[in-house]
Amino acid sequence: MGDMALDAITQKVLLDWFAELDAPEGLRVELMEGEVVVAPLPDGHHEHCVSEIVSQVHEHSVTEMQFSRQKGLKLRSADGCPQDHVIPDGTFAPKEQRLYRGADPWMPCEGVTMVLEVTSGKPRPDREIKRRCYARAGIPLYLLVDREARWTTLFESPKADDYEELRGVAYGKPLPLPAPFAFDLKTTDFL
């Protein structure tokens, strides 16, 4: 969105238009920082990385976690922008919270412990825009699998528009995940 802020009426019109938008088959549409972002559905390697992470979380996490695949999140927006509507590659939340119930394809982010993104052909939204969106919303952990860089990064401690801490590893090295996961994520299979 840059430095251009939208007035409240324009924000509402954009949000209403977005809510009624019917995405063409094979595409997903998100509203981030006042911009509509259209991306193709993920490829096989992308899905393989997501599947590997989900399997490890279910097998090794000290807290029983639920996983949601591409359920949209309503997030706090940047100043002068309508509410962000972001579709992560996945979200994790403690099973006891039962967050993923309900018919609305967009859910609030309260209670989400970690969001997961695996980069596609255009990595900028995952590296920059979504990182700001998730931090602004206060989501505690953001796990980014950057296929172009062949690097996996965990962002922690959200504050304002970014995360205060990060730790990353090259593919093939383990990445420690903190509680409530509390295990080392293996990245060898991302190669």
Side-chain angles (χ1 to χ4, degrees):
M1 176 102 210
D3 294 328
M4 185 180 85
L6 301 175
D7 62 76
I9 293 171
T10 305
Q11 288 181 42
K12 175 146 180 36
V13 168
L14 179 58
L15 193 54
D16 289 347
W17 173 81
F18 178 78
E20 296 298 320
L21 188 63
D22 189 17
E25 189 173 330
L27 297 175
R28 70 179 185 184
V29 181
E30 301 168 287
L31 180 62
M32 296 183 285
E33 298 182 343
E35 294 182 27
V36 175
V37 178
V38 180
L41 293 177
D43 61 31
H45 182 251
H46 180 284
E47 292 302 288
H48 172 76
C49 293
V50 171
S51 178
E52 285 296 318
I53 293 166
V54 172
S55 293
Q56 290 184 56
V57 167
H58 286 307
E59 187 174 332
H60 301 294
S61 180
V62 296
T63 300
E64 191 173 4
M65 303 300 280
Q66 279 189 310
F67 174 76
S68 177
R69 177 82 176 111
Q70 295 188 358
K71 182 157 176 94
L73 294 176
K74 295 177 189 176
L75 306 172
R76 189 174 311 121
S77 64
D79 291 339
C81 295
Q83 185 177 37
D84 291 323
H85 284 66
V86 179
I87 305 171
D89 290 326
T91 60
F92 292 92
K95 186 174 183 177
E96 66 192 28
Q97 293 183 5
R98 302 174 60 146
L99 291 184
Y100 304 120
R101 302 176 75 179
D104 190 344
W106 299 97
M107 64 181 255
C109 63
E110 288 76 21
V112 171
T113 302
M114 182 170 74
V115 288
L116 165 64
E117 295 289 355
V118 178
T119 59
S120 296
K122 295 181 180 179
R124 182 178 169 266
D126 294 331
R127 289 177 183 159
E128 299 173 24
I129 301 169
K130 288 185 176 184
R131 177 177 163 178
R132 288 192 301 268
C133 289
Y134 297 145
R136 199 169 30 248
I139 296 174
L141 303 170
Y142 172 34
L143 182 64
L144 175 63
V145 178
D146 192 324
R147 296 189 304 163
E148 185 179 87
R150 298 171 60 91
W151 199 260
T152 305
T153 306
L154 181 68
F155 298 92
E156 303 177 70
S157 304
K159 185 174 181 184
D161 285 353
D162 206 352
Y163 286 87
E164 292 186 308
E165 299 175 37
L166 66 92
R167 60 181 114 168
V169 296
Y171 281 8
K173 299 196 184 231
L175 177 65
L177 298 181
F181 302 96
F183 73 94
D184 289 350
L185 179 72
K186 296 176 185 159
T187 66
T188 304
D189 286 336
F190 299 168
L191 292 167

